[in-house]
Amino acid sequence: MRYTFRLPDAPAGPEIVLDQRSLTGTRLALADGTPLQRIRDRGRLVWLVPVAEGEPRRIGIAGQVRGLRVLTETGEIRLERTLATWELVLAFAPIALVGVGGLTGGTVGSVASFLNLRLLRMPWPRVGRVGATLAVFVLSIAAWLVVAGLVAALTGG
């Protein structure tokens, strides 16, 4: 997912692009593609945003599961809708496959959970988001059964 924003306390400041990917992590850059400098501040990863009027501003990223937001020195910028507790339970329900399917079930359930997090953030009506996540859950059970059957057939078990 790609988000573009400006700092509220520096409206004339640069446009910032946040590129979030599940596999490669989060990358922050200026609109022209110049990567922002990353540093550790009291154990937390922060980025320095150059602004015309003085010292660079420090920003951090939080809420990568519940709802992505940028933490600034003066507040926060919400980039995604905050997921409710029931939505998180629904999103991570496929991980329960680890209990019946071991490593194979856990792997299939984890992939399904990441997909559910994306689906729950779609701008669809609530019924559509719930239906899609339930469909992913059912498909993850079917996928686990297929994979478990293939593993059993290959191992002679």
Side-chain angles (χ1 to χ4, degrees):
M1 300 288 292
R2 179 169 273 203
Y3 303 94
T4 304
F5 62 94
R6 290 185 189 275
L7 297 178
D9 60 337
E15 188 174 69
I16 303 165
V17 177
L18 184 147
D19 191 15
Q20 181 195 33
R21 298 209 170 110
S22 298
L23 298 177
T24 60
T26 302
R27 188 175 79 86
L28 281 169
L30 299 177
D32 63 2
T34 307
L36 294 176
Q37 181 184 359
R38 289 187 322 181
I39 62 169
R40 290 249 175 227
D41 183 22
R42 290 179 248 149
R44 292 189 64 119
L45 186 62
V46 297
W47 286 264
L48 299 176
V49 179
V51 291
E53 61 274 350
E55 290 288 316
R57 303 290 201 280
R58 295 172 183 256
I59 62 172
I61 305 296
Q64 297 199 20
V65 171
R66 193 157 192 129
L68 195 62
R69 59 192 197 278
V70 176
L71 305 175
T72 69
E73 295 165 342
T74 58
E76 68 180 29
I77 303 167
R78 293 202 173 274
L79 300 177
E80 294 177 330
R81 179 180 69 83
T82 302
L83 297 179
T85 303
W86 68 267
E87 290 175 307
L88 289 173
V89 169
L90 191 60
F92 288 106
I95 290 185
L97 285 173
V98 74
V100 293
L103 180 62
T104 307
T107 302
V108 170
S110 295
V111 170
S113 293
F114 282 117
L115 181 58
N116 279 345
L117 285 172
R118 286 283 158 229
L119 290 172
L120 286 168
R121 289 194 174 100
M122 293 293 185
W124 303 339
R126 181 180 296 178
V127 173
R129 293 191 316 265
V130 169
T133 55
L134 291 175
V136 166
F137 185 54
V138 170
L139 289 173
S140 68
I141 292 170
W144 168 70
L145 290 171
V146 168
V147 170
L150 288 173
V151 169
L154 291 174
T155 60

